[in-house]
């Protein structure tokens, strides 16, 4: 059994080359929490192939390099204690043969930080191929991305209502379709992430040369992300402008733990949405806090920042600056659209998996439909038979244990796990400061609400959301929060993008901020300087 197959069986790496470096940065935002066996085996090969296909399409990798390696050390991602991690060394090698970037740059772009020991070692050997392939791949992508996303929306609605009537063969057929669509969407999404990061770097470099670095978050605001639509429709639902069915048809694939296939979406349980409608109902249409007004204000914020930049440039460079900012905005919006796209495939897959689970309960294979998530994708599709209750119970017990632990942000070899609540992280007292990335401008003071589960948390107006990371289902909290602090991520992570769209301050990449700050402390969040100060 290869080490990759071992991971698919155990969801862990207990023996691995100690020289290979891994990170939870960025990948923990895409796939937060602990994987189940079915969740991981459904996407494992697809994630690896999507990553390699992305770089092949750019000319960085050769066609023969698009495969799923047998050894974990050769893969771009894997699991440790059930949680996702990315192979920094693999991404560093990609950066070394890609023009316009470097090992240090790609670590900052993808993971929100750069290791002190990282050394750039760029090579131009693939540049001629990249010069031929990359421009066409990039220029064609936006329209293809939009079309793929629109098709996924149509496909999801066309199949949802009929899933409960599927037999095993029908379940397998739709699962295989969802898996293929997931890989196609993720391939496009990863190219978008790569290009949008490069464009954001160009904006940052331009501002640094003009001594206007503080305008970076403003120039990356008002891009029109998918979460802006979610925010507006939450408000519209609260004001009876749309029905709950209309809302879940559009956004029901979001929900707590949506990055895991065993997560429960708003389509399945809209309780967390309904419980917050009173907060949104209190926001009138003419209020600056209404989502449409917030979006318009952020567009104007970007325009004002661009005007300031252009005023500092010679006339001949102003057009290039405007084009760069416009392209960065377009590609950042595509970045959020891409994540929504693969979540659409997840919603169909999880519905089919639960239907398959019900069939297995009837066949006496498992006790509960949810137990299907602790079987592998291959055995579910092949038609699992026999009593699997003992195996499922063992895997759920391991799952529950891993939920109590977290991985470090980066490590080499096998990581040292830390138990939630027992981290060796000092809690900050009055005047204590947490530092991170200044991701969305503004200064606010308020009560810190340290949130682990957005579905069970109520925020009051003026509260500051403090958490490890966010996904699109958190947008319902963003509408109420005065500001956001996250442990993970960089300028183009999900939390900062949504914060800028809604015009609230954000500091990200604090590493352990959600453990250093106590729930209920009064804090000052400075989104311009990237600091969070405990006031009392």
């Amino acid at each position: 059994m290869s080490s990759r197959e071992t991971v698919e069986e155990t969801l862990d790496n207990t023996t691995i080359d100690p020289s290979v470096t891994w990170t939870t940065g960025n990948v923990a935002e895409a796939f937060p929490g602990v994987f189940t066996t079915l969740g991981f085996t459904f996407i494992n090969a697809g994630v690896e192939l999507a990553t390699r296909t992305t770089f092949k399409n750019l000319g960085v990798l050769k066609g023969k390099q698009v495969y799923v390696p047998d050894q974990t050390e050769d893969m771009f991602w894997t699991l440790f204690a059930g949680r996702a991690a990315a192979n920094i060394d693999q991404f560093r090698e990609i950066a070394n043969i890609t023009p316009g970037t470097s090992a240090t740059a790609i670590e900052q772009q993808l993971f929100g930080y750069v290791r002190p020991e990282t050394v750039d070692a760029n090579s131009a050997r693939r540049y001629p191929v990249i010069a031929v392939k990359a421009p066409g791949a990039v220029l064609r992508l936006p329209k293809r991305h939009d079309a793929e996303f629109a098709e996924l929306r149509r496909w999801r609605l066309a199949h949802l209502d009929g899933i409960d009537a599927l037999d095993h063969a029908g379940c397998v057929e739709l699962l295989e379709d969802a898996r293929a669509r997931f890989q196609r969407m993720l391939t496009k999404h990863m190219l978008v992430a790569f290009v949008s990061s490069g464009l954001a770097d160009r904006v940052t470099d331009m501002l640094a040369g003009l001594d206007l670095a503080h305008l970076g978050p403003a120039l990356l605001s008002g891009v029109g992300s998918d979460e802006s639509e979610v925010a507006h429709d939450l408000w519209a639902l609260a004001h009876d402008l749309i029905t709950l069915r209309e809302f879940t048809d559009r956004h029901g694939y979001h929900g707590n733990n949506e990055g895991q296939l065993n997560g429960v979406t708003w389509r399945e349980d809209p309780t967390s949405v309904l419980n917050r409608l009173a907060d949104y109902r209190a926001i009138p249409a003419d209020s600056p806090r209404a989502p449409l007004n917030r979006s318009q204000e952020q567009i104007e914020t970007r325009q004002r920042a661009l005007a300031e930049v252009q005023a500092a440039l010679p006339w001949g460079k102003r057009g290039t600056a405007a084009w760069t900012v416009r392209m960065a905005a377009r590609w950042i919006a595509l970045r959020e659209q891409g994540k929504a796209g693969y979540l659409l495939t997840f919603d169909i897959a999880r519905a089919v998996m639960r239907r398959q689970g019900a069939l297995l309960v009837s066949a006496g294979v498992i006790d509960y439909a949810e137990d299907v998530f602790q079987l592998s994708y291959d055995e579910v599709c092949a038609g699992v038979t026999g009593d699997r209750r003992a195996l499922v119970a063992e895997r759920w017990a391991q799952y529950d244990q891993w939920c109590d632990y977290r991985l470090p942000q980066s490590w080499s070899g096998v990581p040292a796990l830390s138990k939630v609540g027992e981290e060796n992280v000092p809690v900050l007292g009055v005047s204590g400061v947490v530092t991170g990335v200044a991701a969305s401008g503004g200064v606010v003071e308020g009560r810190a609400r340290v949130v682990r589960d957005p579905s069970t948390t109520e925020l009051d107006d003026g509260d500051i959301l403090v958490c490890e990371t966010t996904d699109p289902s958190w947008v319902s909290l963003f509408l109420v929060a005065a500001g956001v602090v996250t442990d993970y991520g960089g300028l183009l992570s999900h939390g900062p993008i949504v914060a800028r769209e809604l015009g609230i301050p954000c500091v990200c990449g604090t590493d352990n901020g959600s453990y250093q700050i106590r729930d209920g402390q009064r804090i000052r969040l400075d989104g311009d300087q990237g600091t969070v100060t405990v006031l009392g």
Side-chain angles (χ1 to χ4, degrees):
M1 182 181 290
S2 69
S3 61
R4 172 183 53 80
E5 291 170 327
T6 298
V7 175
E8 291 182 342
E9 176 73 21
T10 65
L11 308 187
D12 195 13
N13 279 280
T14 56
T15 57
I16 199 164
D17 186 339
S19 68
V20 179
T21 306
W22 304 86
T23 181
T24 52
N26 197 270
V27 70
E29 181 181 295
F31 307 114
V34 176
F35 273 88
T36 61
T37 300
L38 184 51
F40 181 62
T41 54
F42 178 79
I43 71 169
N44 184 30
V47 173
E48 186 70 23
L49 291 172
T51 305
R52 290 172 177 268
T53 300
T54 296
F55 293 121
K56 188 263 293 183
N57 291 344
L58 287 171
V60 178
L61 293 181
K62 300 175 182 178
K64 65 181 181 181
Q65 293 174 288
V66 180
Y67 69 104
V68 181
D70 287 332
Q71 297 306 119
T72 298
E73 291 89 345
D74 297 327
M75 296 187 69
F76 279 89
W77 87 307
T78 190
L79 299 187
F80 292 89
R83 296 180 184 268
N87 188 332
I88 293 182
D89 293 344
Q90 287 291 332
F91 281 100
R92 183 177 60 194
E93 289 303 310
I94 290 293
N96 284 337
I97 56 175
T98 303
T101 189
S102 62
T104 54
I106 205 165
E107 286 190 15
Q108 182 65 50
Q109 291 165 3
L110 295 177
F111 310 122
Y113 68 96
V114 177
R115 296 169 296 155
E117 66 271 23
T118 298
V119 177
D120 293 334
N122 290 70
S123 167
R125 69 179 186 273
R126 294 292 296 172
Y127 285 12
V129 179
I130 294 170
V132 173
K133 299 187 69 172
V138 171
L139 291 173
R140 291 190 297 266
L141 184 58
K143 287 186 178 180
R144 292 182 175 183
H145 201 281
D146 288 341
E148 182 92 15
F149 183 69
E151 166 58 18
L152 286 174
R153 280 188 178 276
R154 183 209 62 77
W155 169 78
R156 170 179 173 268
L157 292 179
H159 286 283
L160 272 177
D161 288 341
I163 288 175
D164 284 344
L166 292 178
D167 59 9
H168 171 70
C171 285
V172 171
E173 181 180 1
L174 191 49
L175 269 181
E176 290 178 344
D177 187 17
R179 198 186 199 197
R181 289 173 184 269
F182 165 77
Q183 183 178 325
R184 288 201 303 270
M185 187 73 248
L186 189 63
T187 300
K188 293 181 175 65
H189 173 63
M190 296 195 74
L191 181 52
V192 164
F194 197 74
V195 174
S196 61
S197 295
L199 286 167
D201 280 347
R202 289 187 63 179
V203 171
T204 300
D205 291 344
M206 175 181 67
L207 294 175
L210 297 172
D211 198 24
L212 295 173
H214 63 282
L215 293 179
L219 284 177
L220 301 178
S221 299
V223 302
S225 71
D226 179 69
E227 279 70 34
S228 296
E229 295 181 18
V230 178
H232 171 66
D233 283 349
L234 279 168
W235 182 89
L237 177 62
H239 289 263
D240 299 320
L241 299 177
I242 61 173
T243 66
L244 180 60
R245 178 58 189 263
E246 287 174 316
F247 178 82
T248 56
D249 278 353
R250 296 176 190 174
H251 311 296
Y253 55 92
H254 291 308
N256 187 39
N257 204 28
E258 64 188 27
Q260 294 294 341
L261 283 164
N262 63 313
V264 177
T265 62
W266 293 337
R267 170 184 57 80
E268 298 167 297
D269 182 6
T271 302
S272 61
V273 170
L274 297 176
N275 286 345
R276 295 195 176 102
L277 292 187
D279 293 329
Y280 313 143
R281 198 172 291 121
I283 304 173
D286 59 354
S287 168
R289 296 176 57 218
L292 281 182
N293 297 334
R294 290 187 183 204
S295 295
Q296 183 58 40
E297 171 58 29
Q298 292 312 106
I299 292 172
E300 294 171 2
T301 294
R302 176 159 54 90
Q303 292 171 341
R304 288 192 296 269
L306 178 58
E308 187 173 344
V309 169
Q310 289 181 309
L313 286 169
W315 183 87
K317 294 184 177 180
R318 293 177 183 177
T320 300
W323 179 88
T324 302
V325 171
R326 186 170 64 252
M327 287 299 100
R330 167 70 164 136
W331 284 79
I332 291 172
L334 286 174
R335 188 182 181 113
E336 293 301 286
Q337 185 192 76
K339 181 168 186 178
Y342 72 70
L343 289 175
L344 288 166
T345 70
F346 272 21
D347 201 36
I348 287 292
R350 67 166 52 90
V352 176
M353 289 170 180
R354 289 193 165 108
R355 169 58 181 166
Q356 183 65 55
L359 294 175
L360 292 175
V361 170
S362 298
V365 175
I366 54 179
D367 282 331
Y368 306 100
E370 287 297 293
D371 290 343
V372 72
F373 290 103
Q374 293 298 3
L375 302 174
S376 75
Y377 177 76
D378 286 344
E379 63 182 332
V380 167
C381 289
V384 59
T385 58
D387 190 338
R388 299 302 176 96
R389 292 177 177 89
L391 175 63
V392 164
E394 179 184 335
R395 285 176 173 172
W396 277 127
Q398 181 66 83
Y399 175 91
D400 290 339
Q401 180 180 349
W402 280 335
C403 285
D404 290 333
Y405 288 85
R406 66 196 295 257
L407 299 174
Q409 192 170 29
S410 66
W411 67 92
S412 296
V414 178
L417 304 181
S418 59
K419 191 167 186 178
V420 175
E422 297 181 4
E423 296 86 353
N424 187 25
V425 180
V427 175
L428 294 179
V430 176
S431 300
V433 179
V434 171
T435 60
V437 178
S440 183
V443 180
V444 292
E445 296 181 5
R447 179 180 62 163
R449 294 304 313 276
V450 179
V451 177
R452 305 297 175 200
D453 182 351
S455 67
T456 61
T457 299
E458 292 296 328
L459 264 63
D460 294 329
D461 282 347
D463 285 347
I464 297 174
L465 173 61
V466 182
C467 56
E468 289 189 20
T469 187
T470 68
D471 59 40
S473 69
W474 290 65
V475 72
S476 57
L477 294 180
F478 278 61
L479 278 173
V480 180
V484 179
V485 181
T486 67
D487 293 351
Y488 298 129
L491 199 61
L492 298 188
S493 294
H494 173 264
I497 290 175
V498 178
R500 291 193 297 270
E501 289 302 284
L502 296 177
I504 59 176
C506 176
V507 173
C508 67
T510 62
D511 191 15
N512 287 306
S514 71
Y515 293 88
Q516 293 179 278
I517 298 168
R518 290 198 307 269
D519 186 66
Q521 284 184 319
R522 185 166 180 80
I523 61 176
R524 178 189 296 119
L525 189 168
D526 189 332
D528 298 315
Q529 299 299 319
T531 60
V532 184
T533 306
V534 176
L535 301 177

